Amino acid sequence: MGSRLLYGAHVRANGIRQHYLRYGGQGRPLLIVPGITSPAITWGFVAERLAERFDTYVLDVRGRGLSEASPTLDYGLDAMAADVAAFAEALDLRGYALVGHSMGARIGIRVSRHHGERLGCLAMVDPPVSGPGRRRYPSNLAWYLDSMRQARRGITVEQMRVFCPSWTEEQLRLRAEWLHTCDERAIVTTFDGFHQDDIQSDLPFVKVPSLLMVAGRGGVVAPEDQAEFTRLLPGLLTVQVPDAGHMIPWDDEAGFHAGLHSFLGTNLAAA
């Protein structure tokens, strides 16, 4: 079967150039917002599958991939959330599903609180629950920076395997090709924001059907965090993918799609 990728394009929204990939083109709109160092193209294998039922868009978050980056750009959570809202407005996406992974899940929560007019539902995939007075995000900033600096010099698949030992050859090759497009200032700001932004305070203001997907081996969302999300967001659907680490679709693609289907099948069945 051929690819469901229709095209890549740029749109000016929220005052910056935003790059995205579009897959499928039919059905209810679905927007994937990736994690801290994941350009849009690295989520292509997920988008291909979702494009069977949804008009699927994958966003290059500012400072990643082919979207705008600069020394003076605001890389904070509010700016990234405003980008998503402006992107949806520019493309006239209405009632769209937002599937956010890690950083993207935190962006989605902030979108839902402040820019929820066009949002139809929110899937939060293993969001960092760190914040003021909370335990730190388990990943180390140096892990990101070391791999990015090697990528800017030129990194081989085998060198990338040191950072992502469980990934397939294809996954490693794609990351080695695209990681250099991640702006270090964006990654540092986002990582700091994981510990400075109180995302839990946004949860009571989320008014759309919502899913929390938890990686069983990720160490990011603990049972007590899941309980807190459920308390702050009544009606929240929770799904655990037991054998996956934080990069859930990379570790257990079938489990990821099964968990997502249990949510999207209920809330986005109608095109």
Side-chain angles (χ1 to χ4, degrees):
M1 182 189 299
S3 173
R4 292 183 176 86
L5 174 64
L6 298 177
Y7 55 80
H10 296 85
V11 62
R12 189 155 191 87
N14 197 31
I16 68 166
R17 184 191 73 252
Q18 298 192 47
H19 175 259
Y20 66 97
L21 302 174
R22 188 181 184 188
Y23 294 76
Q26 296 182 343
R28 193 86 172 265
L30 183 150
L31 175 60
I32 297 173
V33 183
I36 184 170
T37 55
S38 295
I41 189 64
T42 64
W43 275 79
F45 71 106
V46 174
E48 291 277 5
R49 176 81 174 271
L50 292 174
E52 296 174 11
R53 293 195 298 141
F54 302 105
D55 185 10
T56 302
Y57 300 77
V58 192
L59 184 64
D60 268 331
V61 178
R62 60 169 61 199
R64 287 93 173 163
L66 301 182
S67 285
E68 189 164 331
S70 81
T72 58
L73 205 59
D74 180 1
Y75 290 115
L77 181 60
D78 286 332
M80 294 188 292
D83 285 349
V84 171
F87 176 83
E89 183 174 5
L91 273 64
D92 196 26
L93 305 182
R94 299 177 183 273
Y96 68 97
L98 194 160
V99 177
H101 172 247
S102 193
M103 173 193 75
R106 290 170 67 95
I107 293 171
I109 295 169
R110 187 59 55 91
V111 168
S112 185
R113 177 172 184 174
H114 294 298
H115 310 282
E117 301 83 6
R118 292 173 175 266
L119 185 63
C121 68
L122 172 64
M124 300 169 282
V125 181
D126 220 41
V129 296
S130 46
R134 297 176 179 271
R135 72 179 188 281
R136 291 186 62 80
Y137 181 59
S139 291
N140 192 316
L141 179 60
W143 182 89
Y144 297 106
L145 299 184
D146 289 349
S147 60
M148 288 165 53
R149 288 165 183 168
Q150 286 194 41
R152 286 197 296 273
R153 293 194 299 267
I155 191 170
T156 68
V157 169
E158 289 309 312
Q159 289 169 329
M160 185 60 74
R161 197 184 305 278
V162 173
F163 295 96
C164 307
S166 66
W167 287 24
T168 68
E169 185 90 1
E170 182 179 2
Q171 291 165 350
L172 291 167
R173 192 171 299 282
L174 201 58
R175 187 167 178 83
E177 180 183 1
W178 282 89
L179 185 58
H180 76 93
T181 67
C182 294
D183 188 288
E184 186 168 313
R185 292 159 295 209
I187 277 50
V188 171
T189 301
T190 293
F191 190 88
D192 288 345
F194 285 172
H195 305 94
Q196 296 165 0
D197 296 315
D198 180 14
I199 207 68
Q200 285 82 351
S201 66
D202 292 340
L203 291 174
F205 299 93
V206 175
K207 301 304 181 184
V208 296
S210 300
L211 166 74
L212 174 65
M213 184 182 294
V214 178
R217 296 189 290 103
V220 174
V221 182
E224 58 268 27
D225 303 314
Q226 185 171 323
E228 182 181 19
F229 268 59
T230 300
R231 176 175 58 81
L232 294 173
L233 187 50
L236 175 70
L237 175 66
T238 60
V239 171
Q240 186 173 87
V241 186
D243 295 327
H246 181 58
M247 303 297 285
I248 295 178
W250 281 258
D251 293 336
D252 185 353
E253 186 179 356
F256 170 81
H257 284 289
L260 202 56
H261 175 73
S262 67
F263 176 63
L264 297 181
T266 299
N267 295 294
L268 288 178

